[in-house]
Amino acid sequence: MLYGRSAETAAIDDLIARAGKGQGGALVLRGEAGAGKTALLDLAASHGGPMRVLRTTGVEAEADLAFAALHQLLLPVTGLLDALPEPQAEAVRGALGLAPAGSGDRFLLAAGVLSLLAEAAAPDGLICVVDDFQWVDRPSADALLFAARRLRTEPIAMPLAVRGDTPVPGLPSLEIAGLAEPAAAELLDAGFTLAPPVRRELVALTGGNPLALRETARLLTDAQRAGREPLPDPLPGGSRLFGDRVAALSAGARLTALLAAVESDLGLVLRAAERLGADEAALPELESAGLAGVSGTRVRFRHPLIRSAVYEAASPAARREAHAALAEVSDASEISEGDRRAWHLAGAALGQDESVAAALARAAERARDRGGYGAAATALTRAAELTPAPLVRARRLTDAAEAAWLGGRPGQAESLLAEARELAGADTALPMEITRLRGRFELNSGNAAEAVRILAAGDTLDMLADASEAASYVGDTAAMIEIGRRAAAFPEGFLRDVVAGIGATLAGDGGHDLLRRALGRTGELREAADFLWATAAASHLGEVDLSAELAERAGRVARVSGMAGQLPVVLEFVATAERLAGRLAESRAVSEEGLELAREAGYANTVAAHLANLAAVAALRGEEEACARHAGEALAIAVPHRVGLRAGLAAYALAMLDLCLGRFAAAHDRFTAIAAAGPGAGHPTVVWRSTPDRIEAAVGAGDADAARAALEAYERWSSHAGTAESRALLARCRGLVLPDDQAVEALGEASRLHANPFEAARTGLLLGERLRRTHRPGEARAHLRAALETFRRAGADPWARRAYGELRAAGESVRPEENGPEENGPEENGPEENGPETPVAVPDVRGTALDALTPQELRIATLVADGATSKEIAARLFLSPRTVEYHLYKIYPKLGITSRTELARLVVLRKAPAAPRSML
């Protein structure tokens, strides 16, 4: 029975009730040992009515066993795995040891866990109970937290109990404090007779901790309970709280208890107990003493403090003997027992032992193959401690560092790598590998300029490619040219051609043929990283539309096949492609997802990338506060980290905000500063890609000379671009600086060439403005109507208001309730005298209803229009198939439709051809 927990009970009941309505969530119950967290979890498990209950408990002895907690939680529902997208199902099967390891990508695995929980929740909902989260193994904890943060549309309640200050990021928590005196008194009175002053003192001394109250009261003498003798000082706790009960056990029961303290698996405990001579009555004795019990295939202590008391009561020699016995009875050929055996061998070891270290290294490899990078890092670190040979120890520390990095623990990764570097000695291969990892760590989370320095010291093509990538993030053109020159000495191949070609192109030495040869091999590419290099090649050729297509392919490959934790990086480029296509809602959704994943992975510089893209999206939507906030946060990371590419994008977002809102002078100043910024604070690609906007700002600010100078530079940069979209942007830039009559011709050419509807709308707006100014309003209106509709669909409100004002000035009445506020349009010239005033037809609702969808719903709708099934959509977006169906259930009534076919028709009206992508 629970005493004094009405508020906590209400919070748990609310969590379960909301989950029952499809509004799932998680709640962390945080408190000290004995506070009653487990009792509250038991309450949650019993309050769900018909809801299914799955449960797992972190066990300190299993904290280093990859996926131990997840195995316990999900084993009852593995029969539902066939309902998952195959990549997710494969990842989960591999993690649980039901199939060979999959891709090893922890994001795929986490998405699979979420999908499986969603399947288990049908039809009545699910309560997923996690106790002692502080001891849940790291890979299981990562997957569970990934799922817990994404339960909003699932009928799943996930209460988690955690002791102390163990971090559980991103989830709401409820502090489970000690009982107030009335409730504590009620608890004590239910089992003991205490004098009121004793009871009050006991409550004060224990802080109302329920376990401490009961156990301490049980240990008191009759005289102490009656107040005739003082209470013990200090009160018993930990081993002293349960030490007498452990000491009272028979020798066989104490031995069995010690085995259970270092191993929870019932079969192993019983076999080891038999090997060490404990009789069959030992386990029943533990159960009858109320210290431990059997739960399924596990031995559970009634409270973690009992386990502590048992362990503390044993001598170091006895602990080693217990580990040794458990290792002897473990089956090394079975994955789970093989991992346990390795850890027990480590627990039994005295000093360094290569055979034990090798066993731990094999366990780490198995964990890594299943995506358990955190567990692999822990096992390899311990293996290194046990390794006698310094060079082998350095190798294992290096592998541990890489596993920690991929597991989202960059601080630990750097520490391990520093230790490995000290041990590597004169070995030729390992120091270079350590150097490469140092450079990758810096590029992801540290100083990108330092990453260039570190990686450029390498002499392999892979390291030179990494160095070129780092230099491209910094914006260090000179370094990219030098690295490209060095790469040219390697044999011909895709990666060599890209790296050498980029360097030669930047140097003006005709690297375009190399880049085109590399792009000719895109049909052979299979890895997401290769598609990103192809994206870079197309970008340096100025073929932004092909670059966009390749970036999107990289994203699809990374989602389905995994990319060893690098998905947040790939999503930088996918989000950019969506933004430059004018699909602002989709771009924002991708960056929000990428931002969350990057923060979970500890990739600080990728966090800056997604923040900068969010700032640019907000600028195009005219959201000043969001733009300034995201840009400020991005700059706070990118500038000190010397990531000029992302610092430049954040600055670009602020400049675009001014341009969108018609603040031409301010925009001109910002674009001028971007063009002057050096490596680490700015970026040549940002300058290049933003030049059309810079020219528009300069013209608007009345600085014709600056506009013409920028055009000359843009013509040089675009000289090798061969796509229609690139020619369209160049024609638009020329049209901006020409006199009105010539400008109309140039802008008309640009309008005919555009493949990107959003850029076509911007050109159409400029063309319509010029046509109206040259007294050709009838011609202007068609361009302005199309631009207005495109801007409205994209949610680019500032541009829509500008087009709206131009339409009115061109003599066309526009309904404010449909297209924008009247006061924002320029009306100083009034209706044109040579064009009749005709109302704009109210846009077809079927063409604009998609604006009512959330970014997530819009992404799902777009994939449906592409013909993807719910399983395929779930695999791409890291959702469960049931979540996809839930969103479709909400999408249909919003749009007034009833089928996927109708949805596809709607999306076609909004979708654009392949969008240009830059490194902005």
Side-chain angles (χ1 to χ4, degrees):
M1 179 177 178
L2 290 174
Y3 298 93
R5 295 300 189 191
S6 57
E8 292 85 346
T9 300
I12 289 171
D13 286 344
D14 179 63
L15 177 73
I16 294 171
R18 284 187 283 108
K21 298 174 183 177
Q23 302 168 11
L27 179 65
V28 178
L29 308 180
R30 187 180 294 279
E32 63 182 4
K37 303 183 297 298
T38 300
L40 287 166
L41 292 180
D42 291 340
L43 179 87
S46 66
H47 276 209
M51 299 175 77
R52 186 199 295 262
V53 177
L54 295 177
R55 189 160 190 162
T56 190
T57 300
V59 179
E60 192 172 6
E62 297 181 349
D64 295 323
L65 294 176
F67 304 111
L70 211 57
H71 189 277
Q72 181 188 5
L73 180 76
L74 298 180
L75 199 59
V77 293
T78 52
L80 303 174
L81 280 168
D82 289 341
L84 273 58
E86 187 53 35
Q88 295 181 7
E90 180 184 351
V92 175
R93 290 190 185 101
L96 301 184
L98 303 177
S103 68
D105 190 284
R106 66 193 186 99
F107 292 127
L108 271 180
L109 169 63
V113 171
L114 174 61
S115 294
L116 186 55
L117 292 177
E119 290 298 325
D124 299 315
L126 171 69
I127 301 175
C128 182
V129 177
V130 183
D131 202 357
D132 282 330
F133 184 79
Q134 73 278 359
W135 289 324
V136 168
D137 61 278
R138 179 62 184 264
S140 294
D142 287 344
L144 287 170
L145 288 179
F146 181 98
R149 289 189 284 262
R150 292 163 174 81
L151 296 178
R152 291 180 294 274
T153 61
E154 307 288 359
I156 301 173
M158 186 182 291
L160 304 93
V162 63
R163 186 190 298 185
D165 298 326
T166 301
V168 188
L171 299 181
S173 64
L174 179 65
E175 193 69 29
I176 309 301
L179 298 176
E181 186 173 339
E186 189 178 358
L187 180 150
L188 287 170
D189 289 346
F192 308 96
T193 301
L194 301 173
V198 174
R199 188 174 58 201
R200 284 194 297 272
E201 185 179 4
L202 193 57
V203 172
L205 292 172
T206 60
N209 182 292
L211 177 67
L213 284 169
R214 281 193 299 264
E215 293 301 324
T216 303
R218 189 186 63 79
L219 293 173
L220 297 179
T221 65
D222 290 339
Q224 288 170 330
R225 293 189 186 115
R228 296 191 299 272
E229 294 181 4
L231 295 176
D233 183 20
L235 290 179
S239 61
R240 296 205 296 164
L241 192 63
F242 296 100
D244 62 329
R245 296 166 71 178
V246 171
L249 295 171
S250 67
R254 285 199 304 275
L255 175 59
T256 302
L258 176 58
L259 291 167
V262 297
E263 172 58 67
S264 65
D265 184 271
L266 176 63
L268 291 179
V269 168
L270 292 178
R271 293 201 296 271
E274 181 181 5
R275 179 175 291 267
L276 293 177
D279 58 41
E280 297 180 356
L283 187 57
E285 182 181 345
L286 282 176
E287 293 178 302
S288 63
L291 296 177
V294 175
S295 176
T297 61
R298 306 225 181 269
V299 182
R300 301 285 189 201
F301 288 100
R302 188 169 62 84
H303 193 276
L305 288 179
I306 300 175
R307 177 183 183 274
S308 298
V310 169
Y311 196 77
E312 291 169 10
S315 67
R319 296 172 196 167
R320 288 194 298 272
E321 184 181 24
H323 280 296
L326 288 162
E328 288 177 11
V329 298
S330 298
D331 183 357
S333 65
E334 197 273 325
I335 291 177
S336 176
E337 287 199 24
D339 291 349
R340 293 173 187 274
R341 178 178 180 274
W343 279 105
H344 287 308
L345 287 172
L350 271 175
Q352 294 177 329
D353 187 319
E354 173 55 30
S355 64
V356 177
L360 270 179
R362 289 191 294 271
E365 183 177 356
R366 289 190 289 269
R368 187 170 46 207
D369 289 345
R370 293 180 285 160
Y373 295 108
T378 302
L380 284 165
T381 302
R382 178 64 175 134
E385 293 173 357
L386 294 167
T387 302
L391 190 58
V392 178
R393 193 185 321 153
R395 168 79 267 172
R396 286 168 179 161
L397 286 169
T398 303
D399 292 343
E402 184 174 14
W405 175 50
L406 291 172
R409 297 152 76 174
Q412 181 190 17
E414 291 172 6
S415 298
L416 290 167
L417 205 61
E419 188 177 351
R421 192 163 63 247
E422 293 178 2
L423 292 168
D427 179 79
T428 55
L430 186 57
M432 194 57 67
E433 183 177 343
I434 291 172
T435 297
R436 187 184 185 193
L437 283 175
R438 283 180 60 212
R440 295 302 308 182
F441 294 172
E442 284 289 343
L443 183 57
N444 275 270
S445 303
N447 187 312
E450 177 66 7
V452 177
R453 187 193 67 78
I454 293 170
L455 293 166
D459 55 7
T460 66
L461 179 60
D462 285 339
M463 281 194 71
L464 290 176
D466 287 349
S468 179
E469 179 186 355
S472 75
Y473 273 77
V474 176
D476 190 340
T477 300
M480 294 175 72
I481 292 171
E482 173 59 20
I483 292 164
R485 184 192 62 76
R486 293 170 60 193
F490 285 83
E492 177 187 331
F494 170 77
L495 184 59
R496 175 264 191 187
D497 285 354
V498 175
V499 177
I502 288 174
T505 300
L506 292 172
D509 291 340
H512 305 91
D513 291 342
L514 291 175
L515 295 178
R516 292 208 178 279
R517 186 166 70 189
L519 287 174
R521 298 178 176 177
T522 53
E524 305 169 10
L525 304 183
R526 296 293 181 268
E527 301 295 327
D530 290 335
F531 280 113
L532 289 184
W533 277 112
T535 296
S539 179
H540 280 275
L541 283 172
E543 298 185 350
V544 290
D545 41 1
L546 175 59
S547 183
E549 177 189 339
L550 292 166
E552 291 169 356
R553 288 174 70 182
R556 290 195 295 271
V557 170
R559 286 184 184 280
V560 174
S561 64
M563 195 184 169
Q566 295 298 292
L567 179 64
V569 179
V570 180
L571 293 183
E572 296 177 25
F573 302 98
V574 176
T576 298
E578 296 284 11
R579 170 172 56 81
L580 294 180
R583 295 192 288 264
L584 304 185
E586 293 92 329
S587 179
R588 182 174 63 184
V590 172
S591 265
E592 286 173 347
E593 177 190 9
L595 179 62
E596 187 174 13
L597 294 177
R599 283 174 169 159
E600 289 179 356
Y603 298 165
N605 294 339
T606 300
V607 168
H610 288 295
L611 287 169
N613 186 66
L614 287 170
V617 169
L620 293 169
R621 295 175 66 90
E623 298 168 347
E624 292 195 67
E625 187 278 330
C627 177
R629 173 166 44 84
H630 290 314
E633 292 175 1
L635 288 167
I637 299 171
V639 171
H641 286 200
R642 303 281 291 157
V643 189
L645 183 59
R646 303 316 174 193
L649 176 55
Y652 165 82
L654 296 172
M656 278 302 294
L657 179 66
D658 285 331
L659 179 63
C660 290
L661 297 178
R663 301 191 292 242
F664 296 110
H668 182 36
D669 290 343
R670 288 190 187 275
F671 281 121
T672 300
I674 290 171
H683 198 282
T685 302
V686 176
V687 177
W688 172 25
R689 299 302 187 195
S690 65
T691 297
D693 306 306
R694 177 157 57 111
I695 293 171
E696 186 174 344
V699 170
D703 191 344
D705 290 341
R708 282 190 289 270
L711 174 60
E712 290 176 7
Y714 194 65
E715 287 175 329
R716 291 194 300 273
W717 288 329
S718 303
S719 60
H720 293 279
T723 64
E725 185 61 34
S726 301
R727 296 197 304 272
L729 288 172
L730 183 57
R732 184 171 87 195
C733 292
R734 288 170 176 159
L736 282 167
V737 302
L738 291 171
D740 283 342
D741 54 344
Q742 298 175 47
V744 166
E745 182 179 351
L747 291 171
E749 179 190 1
S751 185
R752 290 187 294 274
L753 288 170
H754 273 300
N756 176 345
F758 188 75
E759 293 298 334
R762 290 187 61 185
T763 296
L765 173 58
L766 293 168
L767 177 57
E769 290 173 341
R770 290 298 181 100
L771 287 168
R772 184 184 68 79
R773 276 165 37 186
T774 55
H775 305 290
R776 298 155 69 180
E779 295 177 59
R781 286 194 289 269
H783 295 288
L784 293 172
R785 286 190 204 110
L788 173 61
E789 185 60 21
T790 297
F791 293 142
R792 291 183 66 251
R793 288 177 180 170
D797 293 342
W799 300 103
R801 286 196 293 270
R802 182 169 155 188
Y804 162 78
E806 284 294 328
L807 260 177
R808 295 197 65 202
E812 190 158 307
S813 64
V814 187
R815 301 182 184 184
E817 70 274 12
E818 290 290 342
N819 297 298
E822 283 191 67
E823 63 272 19
N824 289 321
E827 303 179 72
E828 65 277 7
N829 295 325
E832 296 288 346
E833 66 278 3
N834 58 349
E837 181 175 306
T838 55
V840 172
V842 176
D844 182 2
V845 172
R846 295 173 66 82
T848 60
L850 291 169
D851 294 340
L853 302 183
T854 66
Q856 185 77 292
E857 290 168 350
L858 187 56
R859 295 174 73 200
I860 290 171
T862 302
L863 290 170
V864 167
D866 288 340
T869 66
S870 292
K871 274 191 177 183
E872 291 168 341
I873 295 170
R876 292 190 197 179
L877 301 186
F878 284 172
L879 301 172
S880 72
R882 290 187 179 274
T883 298
V884 174
E885 292 295 333
Y886 169 82
H887 281 300
L888 287 173
Y889 177 78
K890 292 176 65 180
I891 289 169
Y892 290 162
K894 279 187 179 183
L895 302 181
I897 60 175
T898 58
S899 71
R900 288 175 176 245
T901 302
E902 292 178 276
L903 179 57
R905 290 198 199 102
L906 285 179
V907 174
V908 166
L909 295 175
R910 182 184 184 109
K911 280 191 68 177
R917 172 210 165 266
S918 74
M919 297 183 75
L920 282 184

